[in-house]
Amino acid sequence: MATVQKEITIDADPADVWAIIGDFANGPVQMAPGLVTDSRLAEADVRVVAFADGTVARERLIALDEETRRLVYSVIGDTMQPTHDNASMQVVSHGDGRSRFVWIHDVQPDDLVIPMGAAMDHGLSIFKQTVESSSEHLR
């Protein structure tokens, strides 16, 4: 099994970053508008996320921990069909009103690592820009 881990620092309060990440139903669209075109609940613990390139992922909520600001989910199907996937996103304080965002995917088959890593990098750059732009308006 392969692991992809990405981290970024965001110039925004951890509570503001978590408000997006912790919203299982709508968070993906808020996180990467334009890259993610739709996100909705199909069941209480399953969301369907549509991407601009036509990819669709069904994702099952595994854990949502408000105290540690950590979300765990698994891609379980649709057009994206890994044989195994487990992902976590966590927001931690990075001092002075900044956040460190950690996103980890454990995935099989291993050849998904390169495209998944590229998609994560792209999504994170949009996320950082989106959140920091919103935070500027709040200051």
Side-chain angles (χ1 to χ4, degrees), residues 79-102:
T79 64
M80 186 182 292
Q81 297 191 9
T83 55
H84 175 82
D85 178 81
N86 193 69
S88 65
M89 297 177 155
Q90 188 164 16
V91 180
V92 294
S93 177
H94 197 62
D96 295 330
R98 297 173 18 170
S99 303
R100 185 167 53 96
F101 179 68
V102 181

Side-chain angles (χ1 to χ4, degrees), residues 15-32:
D16 295 336
V17 177
W18 176 246
I20 295 169
I21 299 304
D23 181 351
F24 183 70
N26 301 308
V29 173
Q30 296 173 52
M31 181 180 173

Side-chain angles (χ1 to χ4, degrees), residues 31-94:
M31 181 180 173
L35 176 64
V36 178
T37 58
D38 188 38
S39 180
R40 60 181 167 73
L41 289 180
E43 301 171 36
D45 65 344
V46 175
R47 68 184 175 195
V48 178
V49 182
F51 296 86
D53 69 358
T55 301
V56 178
R58 290 181 69 80
E59 300 174 341
R60 180 173 310 283
L61 176 64
I62 305 298
L64 182 68
D65 187 331
E66 296 282 344
E67 187 175 325
T68 63
R69 294 187 178 120
R70 183 170 179 263
L71 168 75
V72 181
Y73 64 95
S74 180
V75 176
I76 57 171
D78 218 304
T79 64
M80 186 182 292
Q81 297 191 9
T83 55
H84 175 82
D85 178 81
N86 193 69
S88 65
M89 297 177 155
Q90 188 164 16
V91 180
V92 294
S93 177
H94 197 62

